[in-house]
Structure formats: structure tokens, C-alpha cells
Amino acid sequence: MLIISKENIIPYMKDHLPGFDDTLPAEITCVGEGTPEEDGDGYVNHIFRVRTGKDSYVLKQGLEEARVSKLTMELSRIRLEYDCMRIRFSITPEYTPAPVFYDAENNLFVMENVSDLKVARFQFNKNVRFDDYGRMCGECAAKNEFYTSEYYLDRDRYRDLICRFMNTRMRKIMEDGMFLDRFGEPFEDRFGEGFLEFAQLFSRDSRYVSELFKLRRSYMSHTDALIHADYHTSNVLVSGDVMKVIDLEFAFMGPFGYDIGYMAGNLISQYCAACFKAFPDEGERKEYKAYLLATIKSMYYTYFLTFTDCWNEDCKTRYRNQNGLRRSIMDEVMVDSVGYASMVNWFRTVSTIPYPDFDVIDDRNARQEAETLSLLIDWQIMFQRYSYDSVDDLIDTILYVEKEYCRIRKENRSQN
């Protein structure tokens, strides 16, 4: 197998891509050479950007050993990611980089370069707003889920997707981290003994762990649709009203609502950070917090509206008038997605993996306050979710927990 490098990538592109002009000056960059803001969370694969005056591509090669760790990875993830990208591009080309070609011999693929867009997470860290972000995230998730579900696909094609996208080994990484290991092992104490003791209450509390196992059951057994499964703000590139979703190597046939729950967890962490990080003034803080909540609300509303529109227009005849079935699916999404938001946010908050949403806060005490608020919200929404009729109930819980936390902090300061 040819290991791609800066030295051999131009001859490789010339040999494998008809029309590629190797006489033009080329700019070649690798993910990992730039800042996290430029490169996102590219810890696993070897990714190169090739720009000429005529063309711009990304080449992604997967090796058995992850790029920045000793973790052994499944080689087939690259083919699965490319296949998933082709499927998503056929459904939502506006949200998916264009696939160019796959090379089985060298375990790599080439796609459109969309690095002129910005990694959403690091823009949020700088308090940048994208007014359509919630709408685009909700529409992207709903369309890709509906059109890879049994409610639209021929039964045989649907079952083929289940077999093709089992993605067992990559799923195990997520399953162990999100549902099992992180809640059973000690984690690094980054913020002092008080925070460590507080955070470990989640690991020891059988009620929270029971909820995790309920969600894990859905994660493992529901084959509703081809989901992204790592749908977070570092895997979304955005600028204005343009958005592209990348890094599909964890994709599998999983439960409706997992992706928007994952994204909601990231937006909740941004909200908690906004409560305590520095702003030019309190007015700007208030406006940005309101923007983040509005983005969560827009994502959920758009997801439900888009899924319903797709159902009404394109579902199989046998399901056409089964609105009770559709409503039951949406009710399940509302409940389970909030559980996934709680789970993923808790995992990233206490993980030893860098979490830029909070790491951007320089003051240690303020960072601990933001993380503590995040865990309190995670706890509350995990149990409150069964009573939620809409995303408005989720927003109300976030605001309630924030208000109570601020009240308790004020009382404690006055007593001290």
C-alpha cells in the first residue's frame, strides 16, 4: 500500500484523477499542521488538502494506527465513509462534500475540498453567529434519516443498508466511550477535588446509569436510518448560509434522533460556556446565549417539520395515512434525543479528550463553573425528558437549571 505524503501526492493525483493538471503550482497542507480552528478534531486519519489554480481536493487515507494515538482502527472504515458520503450526497448535496473517487488498494478516497468554510465549534467559541445553523442541521439530519429508512426505501435496499453499515468496530469505540467506560472508570481531575467528587456522583448513581443503558439499548438495536453518529460542531463546516458535514466514518444504521441529540449536547455546552466566559459586556453575553437557545429550538423544529414533509410526500403507500405512527416516531425522537444530548455532553465534559467549548475559558474557576452547570443540566434533562412535548420544554429546563444554579452561587457567596 502506498502511504501518501506531501512528496508523492501530486504524482498520485495525476495517475488516478483524469484531467488533474500537475503542471500548475500546488499548495499541499496536512490536517494536524494547522491550528485546531483550521483543522478541527482530526485525530485519526491522514488528511491532505491539494489546491491548484484549477482544482481543490481533500485526500483522506486510513491506516490501522490512528494518526495521533496508538489506537488500532478498522481499515474498512474508509470504504464505509466513502459509501456513506455518496448516499448522503445523493440526498443532501447542499450539505455534503462531493465524493470524487475511492481507491481500495491504498485505502483512501478523494472528495471536494470545502476548507474555505469554517469549523463551527471554533467559530462558536469566538461568539460568531450563523443564523441558519439550526435550520440547516435539522434539515440535513431529517432528510438523510427519512430517505435511508424503511418508510421510504424498498425493503431489500433497506436491509442491504443494515448489513452494509453494521460498522461494528467503529461503533464499539463510541459505545464503550459514551455508554460504558466513561461512566465506570476514574477520570482526570482537571478542576480540583470538589469538581471531581461532584462529577463522580453521576458514575455512582444507579438511576443515571439505568437511563444510559436504556439509551444504549436503542443505540444497539434500532436500525431506523443511516445516521452520522458523530454529528458535532467540529464535523460541521459553515459560512453564512452554506454548510457541509464531514467525517462519516462512524456512520451506521441507528436510531432516529441520535444525531440531533448529539448536536444538541454540543450546543448546550456552548451555552454553559457562554454563561461564564468573557464577553465585551453583559448585553452581548445575553444576546449570544439567546442565539444558542434559538439555534437548538430551530434545529428541533426544522427536524420535525422536514421529517413530516418527507413523510407526507414520499413515504410508502402503506404508511401514507399512518399519522399516528409518524407521531409516535417523533415523540420517541423528542425523548431519546434529549437523553443522547445529556449523555454526550457529560462524556465530553469529564473526558480527558480536549473539549474546546470549555477549554476556551482561561479562568480556572469560571471554567469549573461552566462545567458544573453543564453537568447539572445533563442530570436534569435526562430525567425530565419523559415529560417533554416539544423542544420548548427542553429550553425551559436549561433556563430553570441556570437560574437555580446562579441563585445558589449567590447565596453561597453571601454566606462566605
Side-chain angles (χ1 to χ4, degrees):
M1 184 171 74
L2 175 69
I3 306 300
I4 297 298
S5 67
K6 283 187 173 182
E7 290 68 35
N8 63 25
I9 193 170
I10 295 300
Y12 174 86
M13 294 292 286
K14 175 66 175 178
D15 290 343
H16 289 78
L17 187 60
F20 184 83
D21 190 347
D22 64 343
T23 66
L24 296 172
E27 177 189 359
I28 305 169
T29 57
C30 305
V31 166
E33 292 181 340
T35 65
E37 181 175 340
E38 295 168 329
D39 291 343
D41 298 339
Y43 300 123
V44 174
N45 301 290
H46 297 261
I47 304 173
F48 298 83
R49 303 184 186 97
V50 180
R51 298 181 181 90
T52 69
K54 179 182 176 183
D55 301 306
S56 186
Y57 300 104
V58 165
L59 184 151
K60 185 171 185 177
Q61 183 173 40
L63 305 180
E64 283 189 319
E65 187 173 293
R67 183 176 62 84
V68 296
S69 76
K70 298 299 183 182
L71 185 66
T72 300
M73 308 295 290
E74 175 63 41
L75 283 176
S76 63
R77 70 187 187 274
I78 290 293
R79 180 55 193 262
L80 285 176
E81 178 172 3
Y82 183 74
D83 288 348
C84 182
M85 183 181 298
R86 291 178 60 201
I87 291 170
R88 290 172 68 100
F89 187 76
S90 71
I91 299 169
T92 53
E94 68 272 34
Y95 299 131
T96 310
V100 179
F101 71 84
Y102 169 71
D103 177 358
E105 179 182 359
N106 295 303
N107 201 46
L108 63 82
F109 65 79
V110 173
M111 65 180 182
E112 169 193 13
N113 181 15
V114 293
S115 58
D116 55 320
L117 306 178
K118 303 294 186 181
V119 179
R121 185 186 305 279
F122 297 98
Q123 297 303 301
F124 289 145
N125 284 352
K126 296 191 294 185
N127 309 325
V128 176
R129 303 183 198 183
F130 302 101
D131 292 338
D132 279 343
Y133 186 84
R135 179 192 63 79
M136 292 187 292
C137 285
E139 181 178 67
C140 178
K143 286 184 176 180
N144 281 296
E145 289 179 16
F146 177 81
Y147 288 109
T148 57
S149 75
E150 194 269 333
Y151 301 107
Y152 171 75
L153 290 175
D154 171 83
R155 189 184 308 174
D156 290 339
R157 175 59 175 151
Y158 167 71
R159 287 176 175 163
D160 286 345
L161 285 184
I162 293 175
C163 295
R164 179 75 183 106
F165 288 96
M166 290 295 291
N167 208 0
T168 304
R169 293 189 181 181
M170 296 300 287
R171 285 171 64 179
K172 184 179 184 299
I173 295 172
M174 284 294 192
E175 181 192 340
D176 288 351
M178 297 292 186
F179 297 98
L180 299 174
D181 294 346
R182 181 51 53 191
F183 288 84
E185 66 180 24
F187 46 82
E188 180 184 6
D189 176 17
R190 294 183 292 166
F191 301 113
E193 293 182 4
F195 181 81
L196 177 63
E197 182 179 355
F198 167 72
Q200 284 182 329
L201 290 175
F202 287 82
S203 297
R204 299 170 183 154
D205 195 295
S206 62
R207 294 169 296 176
Y208 196 87
V209 174
S210 291
E211 294 302 315
L212 284 176
F213 287 158
K214 292 177 188 178
L215 292 167
R216 179 173 175 258
R217 178 171 175 264
S218 296
Y219 177 87
M220 294 183 69
S221 62
H222 286 201
T223 56
D224 295 325
L226 182 57
I227 64 173
H228 184 291
D230 199 21
Y231 195 44
H232 57 67
T233 50
S234 286
N235 284 338
V236 174
L237 305 180
V238 63
S239 179
D241 61 353
V242 178
M243 184 184 91
K244 299 290 182 179
V245 180
I246 59 172
D247 286 355
L248 301 162
E249 60 195 332
F250 288 97
F252 72 101
M253 291 294 282
F256 288 137
Y258 183 84
D259 282 350
I260 62 167
Y262 205 121
M263 183 62 71
N266 277 230
L267 293 171
I268 290 171
S269 67
Q270 287 287 348
Y271 181 85
C272 294
C275 291
F276 295 98
K277 67 182 180 182
F279 277 84
D281 57 63
E282 289 305 307
E284 289 195 29
R285 182 193 308 279
K286 183 177 179 180
E287 289 179 2
Y288 200 71
K289 288 166 58 182
Y291 159 74
L292 290 169
L293 294 182
T295 298
I296 296 172
K297 183 179 292 191
S298 174
M299 179 175 67
Y300 271 87
Y301 277 145
T302 304
Y303 177 92
F304 291 132
L305 179 61
T306 302
F307 194 98
T308 298
D309 286 345
C310 293
W311 180 286
N312 290 337
E313 293 175 10
D314 292 320
C315 73
K316 294 176 182 176
T317 303
R318 68 172 63 93
Y319 300 124
R320 187 61 52 84
N321 296 315
Q322 297 299 319
N323 290 325
L325 172 61
R326 177 187 55 77
R327 284 194 296 270
S328 73
I329 293 170
M330 297 296 94
D331 289 345
E332 186 177 83
V333 167
M334 187 69 247
V335 172
D336 284 357
S337 67
V338 173
Y340 293 129
S342 170
M343 170 204 70
V344 69
N345 203 27
W346 194 96
F347 163 74
R348 287 303 302 269
T349 299
V350 303
S351 175
T352 56
I353 300 170
Y355 200 11
D357 301 26
F358 296 118
D359 295 341
V360 72
I361 305 175
D362 294 326
D363 182 83
R364 178 187 175 101
N365 291 329
R367 191 163 63 244
Q368 181 177 336
E369 297 275 22
E371 297 236 5
T372 301
L373 174 60
S374 178
L375 295 188
L376 289 170
I377 290 173
D378 296 338
W379 174 271
Q380 194 75 9
I381 65 176
M382 181 64 88
F383 297 104
Q384 288 285 326
R385 63 195 174 102
Y386 293 107
S387 64
Y388 291 169
D389 293 322
S390 74
V391 66
D392 294 318
D393 297 319
L394 170 61
I395 301 300
D396 288 345
T397 301
I398 294 170
L399 292 171
Y400 170 79
V401 175
E402 179 195 1
K403 180 179 178 181
E404 286 298 295
Y405 182 56
C406 291
R407 179 184 63 80
I408 293 170
R409 286 175 61 246
K410 183 176 180 180
E411 290 178 356
N412 289 340
R413 285 199 301 267
S414 65
Q415 292 174 1
N416 296 331

